[in-house]
Structures are given as C-alpha cells and as structure tokens.
C-alpha cells in the first residue's frame, strides 16, 4: 500500500525466525516469499528493516484466550512494533521523565539491526534484521555515559547549518554512525513511477578521519540497478544515512551533520546513533 513507502515510518519486511533452540542465528532469517521489496519510486530504501513474520503464534479475535499461528508482514510489523515499545519503556526507565524522539527510535533500530542480504542496506532486507537486545544494550550504554556520543539529539537551523562532534576510535572493531530525521511532508503524489526525491530537508552525514585527509560518505543504493551492492556517496534520497568504517585508524574522528539549500520551517531536528567510539567531547558549533 502507499503507506508502506512513507518516508518517516518504519516499514517492516518479513523473514523466517532467526531463533532456533534458543539460539539466534541470522542465517536462518531467510526472506519470506510474500514480503515486498523496494525501492520506492524515488529510490528510497524500503523496507527499513525485517522481522520474523513466518509462523508466529499470536492471539486472535475469537476470544480472550484464543490463539493461532499466522504468517505475513501483518505479523512481522506488530512483532517489530512490540519490540520498539519495549525499547521506549526501557529508555523511560533509565531516563525518568524523558522520551526518545521518533527519529532516535528509528535510527537506533536501524543502527543495531543485523545485516542481511547484500553488505550494507539493500532493497530486500532494508537495513537488516531487528535486534532488540542490541538496541537495548545501546540505550544502556548511553545511560551509563550520557555525555558520550552513543545517542545524540540535536538540530540544524537556518543560522546554524552545521554541527560537528569529535570522538576517538575505541581501538577495536568498526565504527558506525547513523543519522535519522523526521522530514517535513512533501507534495502529495497521485501518480506512479515519480522519481523526484520526496525529501524536503536534505541533511548530509560525513565522518572525517584523523588528520582530515579522508572523508567517509554514507551508503547509497542505485534504484536503476536494485540488486547491486550498496556503495558510498552523497545520499539525496533517504532521511536515514549511515557511515560504516570497517577498519578505522587510531585518532580523533569528526562527525559532521550539515544541510543542502534552505530548511523548511528554518530548522530540522535530527538524531545520531554512534558505536565504535572510545570517548566524546562537547560538540563544536560551526557557523558558515
């Protein structure tokens, strides 16, 4: 349906259960034959994630104690939604009186998903299989070190078009930085195959390596060749961007969030989710 390609929602595809005998094995999470694939007409990544939607034991409408087994994206979606609600509840328990922005929740789920299919995002599995435990662990890490860059909620404005943050690599494993924002509504469309980007406020994520000689760009996909692996470059389609550095070098990294053109409403809130860093310092505010 047309709701499934909306840019700010979490669109959920369906895969087989990754848990067998109490053990999680993502190789078991094969694509369900009834799950729709992207891209959206304008090339955006859809679905956003996948979750178990095959053979789920669920309540029914026949009574207060009746159950049955079903398959479908109508099972994977509530599966993911229930997990997301647990993450909201967990965040509240660690941060009394506070809630994540919707873009933070979406970015967190995408950031911590287990990659499936082609390396990086693709038009079948999206950003991968939802991993609620990994997302909860990231919330806990943020609560333990709230001054860190594990989770950042900030905004760009007309007067402040760039935000910069510095952090050091942890010394082991990759670095991953995910940017997500709730984009303003665009012009309604009533035709098929409209390739004009639906994005209104086009934010950009860049990660600059130590020494400033290398700039890491986010993943991009080619809607004209949807089976191809993701590459990296300037993403002008999605309101989720992710930079992945598989083999970082030691030193300070600079994470930059900027925007192209003008901002509708003169501001844009955004969320950053970061892993693989050893420490963080206060953001460096830049004014063009």
């Amino acid at each position: 349906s047309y709701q499934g390609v909306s840019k700010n929602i979490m669109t959920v595809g369906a895969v087989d259960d990754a848990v067998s005998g109490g053990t999680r094995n993502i190789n078991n999470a094969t694509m369900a034959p009834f799950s729709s694939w992207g891209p959206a007409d304008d090339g955006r990544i859809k679905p956003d994630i996948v979750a178990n939607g095959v053979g789920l034991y669920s309540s029914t409408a026949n009574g207060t104690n009746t159950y049955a087994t079903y398959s479908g994206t109508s099972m994977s979606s509530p599966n993911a939604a229930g997990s997301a609600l647990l993450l909201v509840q967990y965040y509240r328990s660690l941060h009394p009186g506070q809630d994540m922005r919707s873009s933070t929740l979406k970015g967190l789920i995408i950031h911590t998903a287990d990659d499936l299919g082609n390396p990086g995002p693709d038009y079948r599995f999206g950003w991968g299989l939802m991993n609620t435990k990994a997302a909860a662990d990231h919330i806990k890490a943020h609560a333990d070190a709230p001054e860190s860059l594990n989770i950042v909620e900030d905004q760009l404005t007309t007067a402040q078009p760039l935000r910069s943050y510095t952090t050091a690599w942890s010394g082991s494993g990759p670095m991953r930085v995910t940017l997500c924002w709730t984009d303003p509504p665009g012009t309604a469309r009533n035709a098929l195959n409209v390739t004009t980007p639906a994005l209104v406020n086009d934010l950009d994520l860049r990660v600059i390596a130590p020494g400033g000689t290398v700039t890491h760009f986010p993943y991009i996909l080619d809607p004209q060749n949807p089976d191809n692996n993701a590459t990296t470059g300037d993403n002008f389609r999605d309101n989720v961007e992710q930079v992945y550095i598989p083999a970082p070098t030691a030193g300070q990294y600079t994470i930059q969030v900027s925007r192209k053109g003008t901002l509708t409403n003169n501001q844009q809130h955004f969320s950053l989710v970061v892993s693989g860093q050893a420490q963080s310092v206060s953001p460096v505010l830049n004014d063009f």
Side-chain angles (χ1 to χ4, degrees), residues 10 22 38 52 54 64 73 98 108 121 155 165 185 197 207 212 220 287:
M10 181 75 78
N52 179 20
V54 179
T64 58
T73 52
Q98 301 180 45
L108 174 68
Q155 67 174 332
Y165 313 85
V207 179
I220 56 173
D287 191 340

Side-chain angles (χ1 to χ4, degrees), residues 53-229:
V54 179
L56 267 72
Y57 190 60
S58 177
S59 57
T60 73
N62 297 326
T64 58
N65 61 346
T66 58
Y67 300 86
T69 300
Y70 296 101
S71 296
T73 52
S74 55
M75 300 305 292
S76 62
S77 292
N79 171 10
S83 298
L85 185 59
L86 290 174
L87 293 174
V88 170
Q89 183 182 41
Y90 185 52
Y91 188 93
R92 287 174 178 172
S93 71
L94 297 179
H95 304 84
Q98 301 180 45
D99 275 314
M100 292 181 281
R101 301 189 73 90
S102 60
S103 58
T104 303
L105 179 60
K106 182 178 180 180
L108 174 68
I109 292 171
I110 285 172
H111 184 90
T112 55
D114 293 322
D115 191 20
L116 292 175
N118 295 348
D122 59 58
Y123 290 128
R124 295 174 296 157
F125 299 94
W127 293 94
L129 177 66
M130 184 174 182
N131 189 331
T132 312
K133 173 63 164 59
D137 288 344
H138 203 88
I139 292 173
K140 180 64 163 59
H142 174 61
D144 290 342
E147 75 287 350
S148 75
L149 292 182
N150 289 308
I151 297 175
V152 177
E153 295 182 339
D154 209 335
Q155 67 174 332
L156 298 180
T157 65
T158 300
Q160 183 61 62
L162 173 68
R163 294 285 186 181
S164 292
Y165 313 85
T166 57
T167 188
W169 176 48
S170 67
S172 63
M175 284 188 68
R176 189 187 305 270
V177 183
T178 302
L179 168 69
C180 183
W181 68 98
T182 301
D183 198 51
T187 303
R189 303 181 179 191
N190 56 7
L192 298 175
N193 302 319
V194 178
T195 59
T196 304
L199 205 58
V200 174
N201 286 338
D202 186 359
L203 304 193
D204 289 318
L205 174 66
R206 305 289 186 263
V207 179
I208 302 171
T213 58
V214 177
T215 298
H216 297 275
F217 286 79
Y219 284 118
I220 56 173
L221 291 175
D222 180 4
Q224 300 303 314
N225 297 281
D227 288 334
N228 287 3
N229 287 352

